[in-house]
Amino acid sequence: MRALSDDETWEEIETRLGQRLIRVYDLQQRPVRWDGTSADVYYDAESNTLFRHEYRKDHQSNLAQFKMMLGALDFLGILIATLIVASHEANDGLYLPPIERSRQVVGQGSRLYIGDSKMGALATRAFLQASGDFYFIPLSQMGEVPRLLTRWLQQVWAKEQAVEVERIWHSEKEGSQARPKLLTLRFETVRRQAAVQVILYAGNPN
């Protein structure tokens, strides 16, 4: 455990293990899903900078916590990169370091990264776009996004924006005749943004 707790040692193990799993299961073009979670520990939080008592969604504050950022490869859910930090760290800034490490396993360019709205921070999206990768996230309902969504949808209601319709053939009962069932209504719009490029260093920048 002492040997594996060394960050450089563990990152090398994580990378080599992930590369081997991809070769075995032929998962070259699979998307990578990212999410953060927290874990409880029975530990004296006062004497440690990693384990802390923080706000909890379940309102149980008797145990200290730490936070993990996890990257898993579809469709088997194979972990390829992890990041462990103190529980008070905000999720927004935790995506870039493990994404950079995961590229040693999955490569770079035309890779789809899937995450929640916290992965939608401008710096994270700019980093992925500048590297030739893609992201799929729900928009955070903060700032000007609600106003923009309202404006875009108003164009749909006014029939000023073309909408693509996707249906699937569905049978109500086994043996009955299949009928088309609406699956999605979708449209595409462009929103241009600019950001300062983030440069990550694998080791000492000097």
Side-chain angles (χ1 to χ4, degrees):
M1 292 298 292
R2 186 176 295 109
L4 293 177
S5 66
D6 177 74
D7 289 343
E8 292 186 5
T9 301
W10 174 248
E11 289 175 13
E12 181 69 17
I13 292 174
E14 195 173 54
T15 298
R16 293 193 180 190
L17 181 60
Q19 291 171 341
R20 180 173 178 83
L21 288 172
I22 285 180
R23 288 196 300 270
V24 170
Y25 291 101
D26 192 22
L27 302 174
Q28 299 294 335
Q29 300 301 320
R30 295 290 177 176
V32 181
R33 295 181 181 269
W34 291 94
D35 200 5
T37 187
S38 57
D40 297 331
V41 291
Y42 292 90
Y43 197 86
D44 178 12
E46 300 301 325
S47 62
N48 191 283
T49 58
L50 180 63
F51 308 134
R52 298 192 177 192
H53 292 287
E54 299 291 340
Y55 170 78
R56 300 166 57 108
K57 293 180 180 179
D58 59 6
H59 305 293
Q60 300 293 324
S61 59
N62 57 318
L63 294 178
Q65 292 181 308
F66 66 93
K67 183 175 290 185
M68 296 176 287
M69 183 60 66
L70 307 173
L73 198 63
D74 275 353
F75 58 101
L76 297 178
I78 296 174
L79 286 177
I80 57 172
T82 58
L83 178 67
I84 297 177
V85 296
S87 57
H88 69 282
E89 296 282 350
N91 280 14
D92 297 26
L94 301 183
Y95 290 92
L96 297 188
I99 286 177
E100 182 70 10
R101 291 214 315 273
S102 73
R103 286 175 170 171
Q104 300 176 42
V105 178
V106 300
Q108 179 178 322
S110 300
R111 175 70 57 178
L112 176 62
Y113 292 91
I114 303 173
D116 58 14
S117 60
K118 294 177 182 177
M119 199 180 92
L122 182 58
T124 304
R125 292 188 286 119
F127 175 77
L128 293 173
Q129 193 278 335
S131 305
D133 288 317
F134 306 100
Y135 56 86
F136 183 74
I137 58 170
L139 290 175
S140 173
Q141 298 301 300
M142 301 291 289
E144 63 176 348
V145 171
R147 179 181 60 82
L148 288 171
L149 285 175
T150 299
R151 189 182 71 190
W152 295 333
L153 288 174
Q154 285 175 344
Q155 294 173 347
V156 173
W157 310 145
K159 297 183 179 181
E160 299 171 356
Q161 169 67 57
V163 176
E164 295 183 26
V165 180
E166 183 176 0
R167 293 183 172 90
I168 58 173
W169 290 90
H170 175 72
S171 299
E172 296 294 337
K173 296 181 180 180
E174 186 177 353
S176 63
Q177 185 176 2
R179 297 182 178 181
K181 181 178 181 182
L182 180 65
L183 182 62
T184 61
L185 294 172
R186 59 179 181 264
F187 66 93
E188 180 179 328
T189 187
V190 176
R191 179 191 179 202
R192 298 192 181 278
Q193 293 183 283
V196 176
Q197 185 175 2
V198 178
I199 300 176
L200 297 181
Y201 295 96
N204 190 329
N206 297 323

